[in-house]
Amino acid sequence: DAEITQSPRHKITETGRQVTLACHQTWNHNNMFWYRQDLGHGLRLIHYSYGVHDTNKGEVSDGYSVSRSNTEDLPLTLESAASSQTSVYFCASSEHNRAGELFFGEGSRLTVL
Amino acid sequence: LAKTTQPISMDSYEGQEVNITCSHNNIATNDYITWYQQFPSQGPRFIIQGYKTKVTNEVASLFIPADRKSSTLSLPRVSLSDTAVYYCLVGDTNAGKSTFGDGTTLTVKP
């Protein structure tokens, strides 16, 4: 079955370190997204991609970057982790022109000490 | 981007019908309305999607009035397993220009 997987599921790091969260989908979807979810809040869009070599900033993109070198993967990099980036991160994908129907991964819980 | 507003929490009892409303006053012409369910430690899961009027599937109904400034997710005969957070998402066809609400925590009691 097609799926979307995230790794690592849990990570603890220190302030200032670079961190990369992986996202891999086998749906062959063109669209991929990264969200963060903080306690008491909904999901906020960090970055998204509509296809290979395409990346776009979401509403909370500062301190994050993504790259899309193939259809299956959209890694999220925190260049210099900050305590404010402690959160649960969700990757999602969707078919092109499939209005808003997102398929989510199980999440990556990141703690920045 | 359309701003969405949902009730923070709702309580219900098993077997009752539950209606959760999402307000989205500045919805754009191309925006769809999608609802998701999220259990603890899991990613959100698609429930239902609509553009206008009424949509029904095997788990829920979605009511959208003519002005599209709000939408109501209806869950018939809820059970304990429906206890979850429910989010509405309003946005265009590619979801990159879309906004999640803060979610409604539904608690179903025996």
Side-chain angles (χ1 to χ4, degrees):
Chain A
D1 290 340
E3 60 180 3
I4 180 165
T5 56
Q6 296 182 228
S7 62
R9 296 292 311 279
H10 302 273
K11 185 169 181 66
I12 300 174
T13 191
E14 295 177 343
T15 300
R17 290 189 179 269
Q18 183 182 77
V19 176
T20 297
L21 305 179
C23 176
H24 179 81
Q25 54 99 1
T26 59
W27 296 97
N28 200 35
H29 286 162
N30 283 321
N31 302 339
M32 295 186 73
F33 309 85
W34 274 104
Y35 292 88
R36 62 176 288 174
Q37 185 174 42
D38 302 302
L39 191 64
H41 292 277
L43 293 97
R44 292 183 289 175
L45 184 62
I46 305 172
H47 282 287
Y48 59 101
S49 169
Y50 289 154
V52 177
H53 302 309
D54 174 76
T55 61
N56 305 279
K57 294 182 179 180
E59 61 177 305
V60 291
S61 61
D62 287 349
Y64 303 95
S65 64
V66 293
S67 62
R68 187 88 179 271
S69 59
N70 58 52
T71 300
E72 296 79 18
D73 299 288
L74 187 70
L76 177 71
T77 297
L78 289 69
E79 299 294 343
S80 178
S83 57
S84 60
Q85 294 176 309
T86 292
S87 187
V88 180
Y89 293 86
F90 288 99
C91 180
S93 69
S94 69
E95 295 178 21
H96 187 65
N97 289 331
R98 184 72 175 175
E101 185 173 351
L102 298 162
F103 295 82
F104 283 87
E106 293 299 300
S108 295
R109 182 176 296 275
L110 176 67
T111 301
V112 183
L113 301 176
Chain B
L1 298 179
K3 177 175 172 55
T4 60
T5 303
Q6 304 175 230
I8 294 174
S9 63
M10 296 180 67
D11 290 341
S12 183
Y13 291 93
E14 283 189 290
Q16 290 188 334
E17 178 184 72
V18 171
N19 296 310
I20 305 174
T21 297
C22 181
S23 298
H24 28 81
N25 289 325
N26 59 338
I27 188 170
T29 302
N30 292 333
D31 287 348
Y32 281 73
I33 301 156
T34 313
W35 284 82
Y36 291 84
Q37 177 191 56
Q38 186 180 28
F39 296 112
S41 301
Q42 295 186 22
R45 185 179 66 177
F46 173 88
I47 302 174
I48 196 166
Q49 182 181 80
Y51 183 79
K52 61 181 179 180
T53 64
K54 176 183 175 181
V55 179
T56 298
N57 62 21
E58 62 276 10
V59 298
S61 295
L62 178 59
F63 299 92
I64 305 170
D67 66 7
R68 302 199 330 123
K69 293 186 177 182
S70 66
S71 58
T72 299
L73 172 72
S74 181
L75 304 172
R77 298 179 299 280
V78 294
S79 64
L80 297 177
S81 63
D82 292 316
T83 293
V85 180
Y86 292 83
Y87 293 97
C88 71
L89 173 68
V90 178
D92 75 356
T93 56
N94 285 309
K97 297 179 180 178
S98 56
T99 308
F100 274 95
D102 285 338
T104 298
T105 300
L106 172 65
T107 302
V108 180
K109 302 175 182 179

